[in-house]
Amino acid sequence: MATPTEPSRTPKLETPKYGFNTFAERINGRAAMVGLVALLLWEYWTGEGLLHWLGWL
């Protein structure tokens, strides 16, 4: 049984400009963290939750 050969060099691939890539996921994660902190601060300052403020509860 022959051993698999390793490539002599790694191909240089362009990062995708759309879809699931590391840059998009990093930005989405940061936006989610900012939104969560903003929601917690809003609830602290107003004393009511977002759903009450919107009139959904």
Side-chain angles (χ1 to χ4, degrees):
M1 182 174 232
T3 60
T5 59
E6 294 292 323
S8 59
R9 60 187 172 102
T10 304
K12 185 168 180 131
L13 301 174
E14 290 186 33
T15 57
K17 298 191 183 338
Y18 55 88
F20 295 106
N21 58 40
T22 56
F23 178 72
E25 293 302 315
R26 188 178 308 127
I27 293 296
N28 289 339
R30 289 175 181 171
M33 288 185 277
V34 167
L36 179 64
V37 169
L39 179 63
L40 291 173
L41 289 173
W42 177 265
E43 290 186 6
Y44 177 75
W45 282 328
T46 64
E48 61 182 19
L50 179 67
L51 296 179
H52 281 130
W53 182 75
L54 291 173
W56 293 353
L57 286 179

